[in-house]
Amino acid sequence: EIVLTQSPGTLALSPGERATLSCRASQTVSTSYLAWYQQKPGQAPRLLMYGAFARATGIPDRFSGSGSRTDFTLTISGLEPEDFAMYYCHQFGGAFGQGTRVEIK
Amino acid sequence: QVQLVQSGAEVKPPGASVKVSCKASGDIDNNYDISWVRQAPGQGLEWMGWISTNNGNTKYAQKFQGRITITTDTSTTTAYMELRSLRSDDTAVYYCARVSGFWSGRYYYFMDVWGKGTTVTVSS
């Protein structure tokens, strides 16, 4: 089974700063199966990105995805207050990464 | 717009089974896939399995093989997840999610609509 490892575990940043979240796979992952989800406390996850690069409906363009094979990145170009949350990468049909918490510095 | 409405919270003793439902409503067609994901208290997300309502095919995470069954009733657009032989570490919020997929040179799959979750507590 493919293991996804996210880093860092916690990212402490200020509003307006750039966030770079990493997701590393133990084996090659198809980019078309790689998605990113955002989750806030007490809420269900929300789809941010699919196919590694494509933003889901309604997701602002400050969110972008990149990567291939075993290394994927979610970038938030300028953090808004509502972006402070947990972020998970996921290979459809397999495991989630353990998550990165983006918190206010 | 598609909505997924899940059944209410459950409390079960160890060794029992639980069956959680997930009703799809809104702008759905006859072919939709449903995944189940759970989250233990203070922990991350865990993918459990997937069913295609088109043909009834299922795929389960290896961890749950033999203990989980995912089914659908297309007449009521409801999906079900049954987990058997419950243990205390099965205490979690269980989410259903619609799986969207399309072909564009290769298949894309992702979970784009989520239910609000069902809390299952396993306790004697």
Side-chain angles (χ1 to χ4, degrees):
Chain A
E1 181 179 287
I2 296 176
V3 175
L4 300 180
T5 302
Q6 293 186 239
S7 61
T10 301
L11 200 49
L13 295 168
S14 301
E17 289 193 296
R18 181 186 192 91
T20 302
L21 288 67
S22 173
C23 175
R24 179 160 291 179
S26 59
Q27 301 172 46
T28 294
V29 168
S30 170
T31 56
S32 65
Y33 281 30
L34 197 285
W36 289 91
Y37 297 88
Q38 178 193 67
Q39 187 181 34
K40 297 179 180 178
Q43 296 184 16
R46 177 174 76 143
L47 175 69
L48 290 178
M49 314 290 299
Y50 65 91
F53 315 114
R55 278 186 298 276
T57 302
I59 302 302
D61 60 7
R62 63 180 180 273
F63 290 90
S64 63
S66 63
S68 64
R69 298 176 63 82
T70 60
D71 288 288
F72 298 89
T73 301
L74 175 70
T75 302
I76 311 171
S77 60
L79 284 163
E80 296 288 341
E82 61 269 26
D83 299 336
F84 292 93
M86 284 292 293
Y87 292 84
Y88 297 93
C89 60
H90 180 234
Q91 179 213 3
F92 185 75
F96 284 86
Q98 81 278 21
T100 291
R101 180 183 308 277
V102 178
E103 63 181 32
I104 299 176
K105 188 173 181 181
Chain B
Q1 186 139 1
V2 175
Q3 285 187 311
L4 300 178
V5 178
Q6 297 186 224
S7 50
E10 304 261 13
V11 179
K12 296 290 185 181
S17 299
V18 69
K19 192 170 186 178
V20 181
S21 68
C22 170
K23 181 172 175 57
S25 63
D27 188 18
I28 57 171
D29 57 28
N30 287 328
N31 299 318
Y32 58 95
D33 296 356
I34 294 288
S35 265
W36 289 88
V37 173
R38 76 177 186 180
Q39 187 169 38
Q43 303 301 308
L45 301 173
E46 185 170 32
W47 186 81
M48 302 179 72
W50 167 37
I51 188 166
S52 169
T53 61
N54 182 37
N55 53 25
N57 285 351
T58 54
K59 179 181 177 182
Y60 302 127
Q62 191 169 0
K63 173 178 180 176
F64 300 103
Q65 289 275 3
R67 253 195 344 131
I68 188 173
T69 302
I70 298 175
T71 56
T72 64
D73 181 343
T74 54
S75 67
T76 60
T77 63
T78 302
Y80 300 90
M81 187 284 300
E82 181 181 37
L83 191 62
R84 299 177 290 278
S85 302
L86 290 169
R87 308 183 288 254
S88 59
D89 61 359
D90 291 317
T91 294
V93 176
Y94 289 76
Y95 295 101
C96 63
R98 183 184 71 170
V99 176
S100 282
F102 63 90
W103 171 262
S104 179
R106 50 187 164 177
Y107 279 108
Y108 288 74
Y109 290 105
F110 45 90
M111 298 176 286
D112 61 346
V113 179
W114 291 69
K116 292 188 186 300
T118 296
T119 299
V120 175
T121 303
V122 182
S123 174
S124 54

